[in-house]
């Protein structure tokens, strides 16, 4: 019989995977917006940050590191109101000032990923509690 702790663990795991999949779907849908932001960035600053240029055409579905590197120039200004480490430009106001239709979906992608991580952490804590006699 499955007890309450086991059910909570299963629920946390399922929710974690669900939000992870939602984040992956959002990142796939954001590719078009990413390209549009890149064009606007080039118009404003002349070129993309060097690390973004290097990883721009890499298939990020397989190489997670490249996705985080090339997206940092968008995410860091949105979340921490700071320019990316990979740029010499003071571009935080530019990124934050883009139309909501462009940057709003990136917030959604990040929120899905953060919620997914939270459920995985909860699942890990529950697994520890179940394994060590709490369930």
């Amino acid at each position: 019989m499955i007890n309450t702790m086991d059910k909570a663990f299963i629920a946390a795991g399922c929710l974690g995977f669900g939000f992870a999949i939602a984040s992956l779907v959002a990142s796939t849908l954001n590719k078009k917006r990413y390209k549009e932001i890149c064009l606007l960035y080039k118009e404003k600053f002349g070129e993309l940050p060097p690390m973004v240029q290097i990883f721009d055409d890499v298939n990020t579905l397989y190489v997670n590191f490249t996705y985080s590197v090339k997206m940092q120039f968008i995410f860091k200004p949105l979340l921490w109101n700071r320019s990316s480490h990979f740029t010499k430009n003071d571009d935080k106001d530019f990124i934050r000032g883009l139309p909501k239709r462009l940057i709003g979906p990136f917030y959604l992608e990040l929120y899905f990923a953060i919620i997914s991580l939270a459920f995985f952490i909860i699942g890990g804590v529950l697994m520890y509690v179940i394994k060590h006699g709490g369930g």
Side-chain angles (χ1 to χ4, degrees), residues 107-119:
Y107 281 114
L108 188 62
E109 177 184 344
L110 284 168
Y111 293 149
F112 284 152
I114 291 167
I115 293 168
S116 172
L117 179 61
F119 277 115

Side-chain angles (χ1 to χ4, degrees), residues 60-74:
T60 56
L61 181 61
Y62 303 112
V63 186
N64 202 17
F65 170 75
T66 61
Y67 182 76
S68 64
V69 168
K70 80 180 201 179
M71 297 304 287
Q72 187 192 32
F73 89 104
I74 297 172

Side-chain angles (χ1 to χ4, degrees), residues 2-35:
I2 298 178
N3 66 28
T4 304
M5 290 293 273
D6 291 338
K7 289 178 185 176
F9 171 73
I10 291 168
C14 288
L15 287 168
F17 278 112
F19 280 105
I21 290 168
S23 178
L24 288 172
V25 168
S27 72
T28 301
L29 295 174
N30 280 340
K31 284 183 182 181
K32 181 180 174 185
R33 290 176 194 88
Y34 166 79
K35 292 292 185 188

Side-chain angles (χ1 to χ4, degrees), residues 16-86:
F17 278 112
F19 280 105
I21 290 168
S23 178
L24 288 172
V25 168
S27 72
T28 301
L29 295 174
N30 280 340
K31 284 183 182 181
K32 181 180 174 185
R33 290 176 194 88
Y34 166 79
K35 292 292 185 188
E36 192 172 342
I37 290 172
C38 287
L39 287 173
L40 293 170
Y41 194 96
K42 287 179 193 177
E43 287 175 12
K44 172 83 175 172
F45 297 104
E47 64 182 7
L48 291 171
M51 291 297 281
V52 176
Q53 291 176 31
I54 290 170
F55 294 123
D56 193 34
D57 292 323
V58 174
N59 185 344
T60 56
L61 181 61
Y62 303 112
V63 186
N64 202 17
F65 170 75
T66 61
Y67 182 76
S68 64
V69 168
K70 80 180 201 179
M71 297 304 287
Q72 187 192 32
F73 89 104
I74 297 172
F75 288 143
K76 192 159 185 182
L78 293 179
L79 290 179
W80 292 285
N81 197 24
R82 292 186 175 168
S83 294
S84 167
H85 297 304
F86 302 124

Side-chain angles (χ1 to χ4, degrees), residues 86-102:
F86 302 124
T87 182
K88 296 177 280 183
N89 302 318
D90 185 17
D91 56 5
K92 66 180 177 355
D93 293 331
F94 169 76
I95 296 291
R96 293 177 71 85
L98 289 170
K100 294 293 181 202
R101 70 172 181 78
L102 287 177

